Amino acid sequence: MHTIFDYLAQELQNEYEIECDLTLKKNYSPPKIYSANGDLKKRWYVYFSYRDPNTGKLKRQTPIYSNANKFKTKEERLSVLVTYRKALLKLLAKGYSPYSNNKEVLLSVKDTKTKS
């Protein structure tokens, strides 16, 4: 007769096996905003890491500055960078990869914008 402890031990083992499986790990880290601790004299940007297909490890990608550093207040810069971060997260969720051709992903994003 099984007890609840046997069941919980089995579930714990299953969870451990799932977490250790590399195929379930995400190919990217969530985009983050670097705000230089609020210093407006330094560059602010959005950065993220993506899994390198050759090594299988997450590799930091080129930061996204665009025109965020042209703004003179913290609120304006943060507003622009939050928009960039949300857009980048949507692209990554749809399958964007800095290591491959992304025509299909970009077309699907444009199609969803024209439909709404």
Side-chain angles (χ1 to χ4, degrees):
M1 184 165 136
H2 292 284
T3 65
I4 193 166
F5 298 111
D6 294 334
Y7 175 75
L8 291 175
Q10 182 62 36
E11 286 299 312
L12 179 65
Q13 181 63 29
N14 290 343
E15 283 295 318
Y16 178 76
E17 289 172 0
I18 288 172
E19 287 181 10
C20 290
D21 187 9
L22 285 176
T23 59
L24 295 178
K25 294 200 178 197
K26 286 196 171 188
N27 285 331
Y28 58 89
S29 67
K32 296 178 182 85
I33 297 173
Y34 175 73
S35 62
N37 292 326
D39 188 356
L40 294 172
K41 294 179 182 177
K42 295 183 178 177
R43 287 185 172 183
W44 292 29
Y45 54 86
V46 175
Y47 65 97
F48 70 104
S49 297
Y50 199 88
R51 193 167 304 281
D52 188 338
N54 298 327
T55 64
K57 295 183 179 181
L58 289 177
K59 181 178 177 185
R60 175 79 71 89
Q61 301 300 308
T62 305
I64 301 167
Y65 300 102
S66 195
N67 63 353
N69 294 306
K70 292 180 182 178
F71 294 99
K72 301 298 179 196
T73 65
K74 293 177 184 179
E75 291 81 14
E76 289 174 330
R77 282 191 185 185
L78 202 54
S79 173
V80 170
L81 290 172
V82 165
T83 304
Y84 291 160
R85 184 174 109 0
K86 286 181 181 178
L88 181 58
L89 190 57
K90 285 181 185 177
L91 277 175
L92 290 169
K94 289 194 180 258
Y96 173 83
S97 169
Y99 298 104
S100 66
N101 187 350
N102 295 298
K103 285 184 181 179
E104 294 176 14
V105 174
L106 296 174
L107 286 175
S108 71
V109 170
K110 285 181 183 180
D111 288 344
T112 57
K113 283 185 180 180
T114 57
K115 289 180 184 177
S116 53

